[in-house]
Amino acid sequence: MEQLRIGMIGYKFMGKAHSNAYRSLPMFFPKAVKPQMSVICGRNEEALKEAADQLGWSESVTDWKELIGRDDIDLIDINAPSNAHKEIALAAAAAGKHIFCEKPLALNLADSREMLQAAEAAGIVHMVGFNYRFSPAVRLVKRLIESGRLGKIYHFRAWFLQDWILDPEFPLVWRLQKEIAGSGSHGDLGAHLIDLAHFLVGDVQEVIGMSETFVKERPLATEMTGLSARASKDAPRGAVTVDDATLFLARFANGALGSFEATRFAAGHRSTNSFEINGSLGSVKFDFERMNELEVYLTSDDEDVQGFRRVLATDPAHDYAEAWWPPGHTIGFEHTFIHEMLELSNAIAEGRQPEPNFRDGVKCQAVLEAVERSIEERRWVPISEM
């Protein structure tokens, strides 16, 4: 395959990130299958045409079923709101199209399992969008753990903190409505933490959690894009039906302990996605707001120089870095999506499943729902129960 013909459903925040990735991939990774940005799909025809021109898509259509039915499309990219994922993915699988789907995979575990089953039955390539796995510094953590340089892992603690809905008058956007988003900070932010935990430490065995919705009602939005929105001065109010913050504890199958915190009410934190891992031979600390850096502590260092060292993950020794700039010249948020699309492109070319795929999406959804059950029933919940 010399070209991968793509039909993308969605054109806002994630649509822009994906479009940039497709455009940049052949420039920096010329050996990868070249993405062909064939058709973009959305509901608002006028806004869609503007997006197609701005983002570089050849055509635009407003009917996703029409898009999936076309013979000149190889891959369906789904970055529409979460409540649309299942129906689109099932149709794409039935049509034999490869699928890239943003997280969370679906609104609930049953739906995500149905999507996985359909994708496997169709024999297609399927991938779920956990882009933070693709930061070079995170890949370095993976290598440090797998090589044994951190020893036996004891702790994984992670937090994803934002403050974009701190104002109680911020409008009721779709991310705050359970029927569309599935959950709030838990599924939006916590899902990334769970996937990083699975990627780096291993399977979660059991969980116990708590959550809170601090602002129960908000003015109805008249306009929304990405994480911004507007409402009229006297707009009617609607109920917030998702969590504003969720915290939970976890025990991993390998005996490690975990703590997770996801909130949109942490003043001063625009997007603090961080974790720390402690092992018998060392520790690492990562903060995505400083995504090119990894703090590393090794007990093997001489006592008089022991301490956390700052590693800049931009050298050719670090995953993906050689394709970019000279050492020390940093990369950003958008590059994680380019690396993600590289993995997808290579998987299709090599006839294998990319990582992470729908199985990882299902595994994440099982933990999300186990935490929710734990909150409802006020008890530890084994993942095997889900």
Side-chain angles (χ1 to χ4, degrees):
M1 180 182 289
E2 294 183 357
Q3 287 195 329
L4 181 65
R5 300 168 297 179
I6 303 165
M8 188 174 78
I9 303 169
Y11 58 90
K12 295 188 178 180
F13 177 20
M14 283 297 104
K16 184 177 290 187
H18 292 192
S19 298
N20 177 72
Y22 293 132
R23 294 177 67 171
S24 300
L25 183 62
M27 181 183 297
F28 293 96
F29 297 92
K31 293 182 180 180
V33 176
K34 186 177 181 180
Q36 180 177 310
M37 298 167 64
S38 300
V39 186
I40 189 172
C41 180
R43 290 173 293 185
N44 185 316
E45 187 171 5
E46 183 178 351
L48 180 64
K49 287 182 177 178
E50 290 179 3
D53 291 340
Q54 177 187 354
L55 302 179
W57 291 85
S58 299
E59 298 179 48
S60 61
V61 297
T62 56
D63 184 349
W64 63 262
K65 293 180 181 178
E66 173 191 337
L67 170 59
I68 288 175
R70 292 177 57 149
D71 293 331
D72 59 347
I73 297 296
D74 304 306
L75 170 76
I76 297 297
D77 180 320
I78 307 169
N79 58 82
S82 304
N83 65 330
H85 291 184
K86 175 187 171 181
E87 185 180 9
I88 297 172
L90 293 182
K97 311 295 187 186
H98 302 309
I99 305 173
F100 179 93
C101 184
E102 266 301 333
K103 66 85 207 165
L105 195 55
L107 293 182
N108 55 63
L109 180 57
D111 285 355
S112 64
R113 283 175 170 157
E114 186 176 350
M115 291 166 66
L116 171 61
Q117 183 178 21
E120 290 186 333
I124 59 169
V125 169
H126 47 87
M127 188 172 189
V128 62
F130 287 117
N131 62 297
Y132 295 107
R133 282 192 185 204
F134 295 92
S135 303
V138 172
R139 311 295 281 200
L140 175 57
V141 175
K142 179 74 167 175
R143 292 211 308 271
L144 290 173
I145 292 173
E146 289 187 338
S147 67
R149 293 172 72 183
L150 296 185
K152 179 178 174 59
I153 302 304
Y154 296 134
H155 295 287
F156 177 87
R157 60 183 65 86
W159 52 101
F160 203 148
L161 316 177
Q162 294 182 345
D163 67 354
W164 60 281
I165 59 170
L166 192 64
D167 181 356
E169 294 304 309
F170 185 87
L172 185 69
V173 295
W174 69 265
R175 294 176 188 273
L176 306 182
Q177 297 173 290
K178 187 174 180 63
E179 66 273 18
I180 301 176
S183 66
S185 62
H186 185 44
D188 188 22
L189 308 180
H192 281 299
L193 303 180
I194 293 166
D195 182 69
L196 286 171
H198 284 152
F199 178 57
L200 297 171
V201 180
D203 289 353
V204 173
Q205 187 175 68
E206 59 178 347
V207 296
I208 188 169
M210 63 179 177
S211 67
E212 186 58 67
T213 302
F214 300 115
V215 176
K216 312 295 186 185
E217 290 186 338
R218 292 181 178 273
L220 299 182
T222 55
E223 180 183 335
M224 61 181 87
T225 302
L227 301 184
S228 62
R230 294 181 181 178
S232 60
K233 185 177 180 180
D234 300 317
R237 306 181 80 84
V240 176
T241 52
V242 300
D243 61 292
D244 287 331
T246 293
L247 292 76
F248 70 94
L249 301 178
R251 187 181 302 275
F252 290 86
N254 62 10
L257 303 181
S259 65
F260 299 74
E261 178 180 0
T263 181
R264 294 164 172 163
F265 274 71
H269 291 274
R270 296 298 187 256
S271 194
T272 304
N273 177 7
S274 302
F275 64 80
E276 178 171 344
I277 298 175
N278 309 124
S280 61
L281 300 179
S283 297
V284 292
K285 294 192 288 187
F286 174 77
D287 180 357
F288 191 75
E289 289 182 347
R290 305 181 69 169
M291 63 167 285
N292 291 277
E293 302 176 17
L294 183 67
E295 292 188 68
V296 181
Y297 172 83
L298 299 175
T299 60
S300 58
D301 289 342
D302 291 337
E303 185 178 358
D304 59 344
V305 293
Q306 280 191 354
F308 278 96
R309 71 187 71 177
R310 170 182 169 269
V311 176
L312 193 61
T314 60
D315 285 3
H318 302 117
D319 286 5
Y320 311 116
E322 197 167 12
W324 295 107
W325 319 118
H329 292 68
T330 57
I331 62 172
F333 174 66
E334 69 275 17
H335 295 78
T336 64
F337 293 94
I338 300 169
H339 301 158
E340 193 172 46
M341 298 314 175
L342 174 66
E343 167 65 6
L344 173 63
S345 174
N346 287 344
I348 292 174
E350 296 164 10
R352 62 175 175 84
Q353 289 302 340
E355 294 182 359
N357 55 56
F358 281 15
R359 284 194 169 276
D360 299 284
V362 169
K363 186 190 295 187
C364 179
Q365 193 71 49
V367 176
L368 289 171
E369 290 199 16
V371 172
E372 291 175 346
R373 181 175 296 181
S374 166
I375 294 168
E376 291 173 2
E377 301 179 4
R378 303 179 69 85
R379 65 177 176 92
W380 282 92
V381 173
I383 306 304
S384 60
E385 184 180 301
M386 305 307 296

